[in-house]
């Protein structure tokens, strides 16, 4: 089956079928006739012929730190929504939060017939910067600021500051025990450095200092958050607030509090806060104070931005910072208490 045959069956010109297949303008009436014929005949255009004709493979490589993450799934859902509507397909690569694997996949995609790459960034190393400066295909970075590529990122500092102010307020109401912070590596400039710096600034604006003895480091995993918080609770018995750099870590913190309560005769009401507005955690916890980021929106905008570069050769550098929403949650009942 050829484009010419499809055109004959649909009663349109070959040029109209070509425009349909390549996302060009065509009237709704002709579009419906072509769609119906393609559906009935099971026609699939040749990928090789399409590349030769359009100079594009209509493939986009997407590099993600992990796939078992609600926030990442929301970003990729936004990317997929735009790519599908524009006739592109997504090739997904997961790196298990290993920056060196990101470089491997970026280079693999660059040498594979993809039209562009979207990187959901974690740690931007010197190797990342070198790749972004010299990439042979357009690249958009999501979740991290970089001057070496178009990027879409969140106001992590502002979100951290808002959470710091809320934590100080909750702490004042609860009697003034200590505030703890469970962070992630500061090599991650967004979730690590910006959120913690913002959190400290938010506390400071309310007249509270974060004691470094109450700061711990976690991986981006529930079990790591659990271990970090349990160890902290066994050292410190005067904590009222545990603020976590992600909701995934916060889930581990909640589990650690359950474990600690079973082991200890001393009970305190402890509030856990996070970042990410994880819906599963909300369902099982009743809702904790957290930050909602527009993850799906960032996916949509990144795909639109990449396709603007691919299809229109857009040359204007874009750095897009997205906002956030503070979700107060149910701070009074988010955790069990004596």
């Amino acid at each position: 089956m050829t484009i010419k045959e499809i055109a004959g069956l649909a009663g349109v010109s070959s040029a109209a079928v070509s425009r349909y297949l390549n996302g060009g303008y065509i009237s709704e009436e002709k579009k419906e006739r072509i769609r119906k014929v393609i559906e009935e005949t099971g026609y699939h255009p040749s990928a090789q012929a399409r590349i030769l004709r359009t100079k594009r493979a209509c493939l986009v490589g997407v590099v993600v730190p992990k796939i078992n993450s609600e926030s990442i799934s929301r970003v990729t859902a936004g990317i997929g929504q735009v790519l599908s509507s524009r006739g592109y397909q997504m090739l997904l690569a997961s790196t298990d939060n290993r920056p060196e694997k990101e470089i491997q996949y970026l280079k693999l995609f660059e040498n594979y017939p993809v039209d562009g790459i979207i990187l959901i960034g974690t740690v931007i190393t010197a190797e990342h910067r070198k790749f972004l400066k010299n990439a042979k295909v357009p690249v958009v970075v999501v979740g991290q600021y970089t001057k070496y590529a178009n990027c879409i990122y969140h106001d992590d500092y502002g979100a951290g500051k808002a959470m710091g102010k809320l934590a100080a307020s909750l702490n004042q109401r609860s009697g003034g025990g200590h505030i703890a912070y469970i962070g992630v590596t500061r090599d991650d400039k967004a979730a690590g450095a910006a959120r913690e710096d913002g959190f400290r600034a938010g506390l400071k604006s309310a007249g509270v200092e974060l004691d470094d003895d109450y700061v711990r480091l976690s991986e981006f995993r529930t079990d790591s958050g659990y271990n970090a918080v349990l160890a902290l609770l066994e050292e410190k018995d005067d904590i009222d607030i545990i603020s976590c750099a992600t909701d995934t870590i916060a889930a581990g913190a909640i589990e650690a509090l359950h474990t600690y309560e079973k082991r200890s005769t001393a009970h305190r009401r402890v509030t856990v806060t996070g970042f990410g507005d994880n819906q599963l955690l909300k369902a099982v916890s009743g809702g904790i104070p957290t930050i909602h980021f527009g993850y799906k929106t960032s996916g949509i905008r990144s795909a639109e931005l990449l396709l603007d570069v691919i299809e229109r050769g857009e040359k204007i550098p874009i750095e897009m910072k997205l906002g956030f929403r503070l979700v107060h949650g149910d701070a009074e009942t988010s955790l069990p208490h004596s």
Side-chain angles (χ1 to χ4, degrees):
M1 182 70 67
T2 65
I3 285 180
K4 186 175 181 180
E5 290 171 319
I6 293 291
L9 290 171
V12 300
S13 67
S14 296
V17 177
S18 181
R19 286 198 301 274
Y20 173 88
L21 294 173
N22 294 304
Y25 173 76
I26 186 172
S27 71
E28 289 299 321
E29 186 263 336
K30 287 182 179 179
K31 186 184 295 185
E32 179 59 25
R33 280 153 57 189
I34 295 169
R35 185 201 63 77
K36 188 175 181 181
V37 170
I38 288 175
E39 189 175 277
E40 290 173 350
T41 60
Y43 171 76
H44 292 286
S46 162
Q48 291 80 8
R50 181 179 60 194
I51 293 172
L52 289 172
R53 186 175 65 254
T54 66
K55 309 301 181 185
R56 292 195 296 268
C58 290
L59 294 173
V60 169
V62 180
V63 182
V64 304
K66 56 183 178 179
I67 55 176
N68 59 335
S69 161
E70 183 180 279
S71 60
I72 300 300
S73 69
R74 280 150 60 183
V75 178
T76 55
I79 294 170
Q81 177 180 311
V82 173
L83 294 184
S84 178
S85 70
R86 302 270 288 268
Y88 286 76
Q89 292 180 306
M90 175 169 54
L91 299 179
L92 191 66
S94 177
T95 66
D96 195 28
N97 274 306
R98 293 167 57 189
E100 68 276 11
K101 285 193 72 175
E102 290 182 358
I103 299 297
Q104 291 173 15
Y105 280 122
L106 288 170
K107 291 180 177 178
L108 174 65
F109 280 143
E110 181 185 42
N111 292 297
Y112 192 81
V114 301
D115 300 304
I117 302 171
I118 296 175
L119 167 65
I120 300 178
T122 54
V123 175
I124 304 296
T125 67
E127 279 293 303
H128 284 81
R129 290 189 285 272
K130 181 180 177 181
F131 175 86
L132 294 173
K133 285 170 67 176
N134 301 306
K136 300 171 188 173
V137 297
V139 182
V140 174
V141 176
V142 181
Q144 296 284 345
Y145 168 79
T146 176
K147 63 182 180 180
Y148 298 105
N150 287 337
C151 61
I152 296 177
Y153 59 103
H154 303 282
D155 184 7
D156 288 281
Y157 181 87
K161 190 171 184 179
M163 184 56 74
K165 290 179 179 179
L166 178 61
S169 173
L170 293 172
N171 181 240
Q172 196 172 42
R173 277 189 263 158
S174 65
H178 276 86
I179 297 172
Y181 186 80
I182 313 301
V184 296
T185 174
R186 291 182 64 84
D187 289 338
D188 185 322
K189 300 303 181 186
R195 289 181 192 177
E196 181 181 344
D197 291 349
F199 185 77
R200 288 178 181 272
L203 291 179
K204 193 170 184 178
S205 70
V208 179
E209 293 284 344
L210 180 62
D211 188 335
D212 287 339
D213 286 344
Y214 290 79
V215 177
R216 295 293 184 274
L217 201 63
S218 171
E219 301 293 331
F220 288 86
R221 304 192 314 270
T222 300
D223 63 318
S224 184
Y226 172 86
N227 291 330
V229 171
L230 189 59
L232 178 63
L233 291 170
E234 288 172 346
E235 292 178 26
K236 312 288 187 182
D237 62 357
D238 55 354
I239 298 172
D240 284 341
I241 310 288
I242 300 176
S243 286
C244 303
T246 75
D247 274 7
T248 299
I249 296 170
I254 293 173
E255 185 181 0
L257 281 160
H258 281 288
T259 299
Y260 183 73
E261 280 202 335
K262 293 175 183 176
R263 296 180 184 177
S264 175
T265 55
H267 294 286
R268 294 179 68 88
R269 178 185 288 277
V270 180
T271 296
V272 172
T273 76
F275 290 78
D277 196 17
N278 184 288
Q279 295 305 294
L280 177 59
L281 178 58
K282 182 177 182 179
V284 300
S285 69
I288 66 170
T290 187
I291 297 290
H292 179 88
F293 292 114
Y295 288 123
K296 186 174 182 181
T297 299
S298 70
I300 290 171
R301 297 289 176 262
S302 67
E304 291 174 340
L305 178 55
L306 184 67
L307 295 187
D308 282 347
V309 177
I310 292 170
E311 296 180 347
R312 303 207 310 248
E314 183 59 68
K315 300 295 185 183
I316 301 174
I318 299 293
E319 297 171 0
M320 185 182 299
K321 180 165 74 172
L322 302 180
F324 62 89
R325 185 175 76 250
L326 180 63
V327 179
H328 288 264
D330 189 355
E332 294 302 315
T333 59
S334 60
L335 295 170
H337 56 277
S338 57

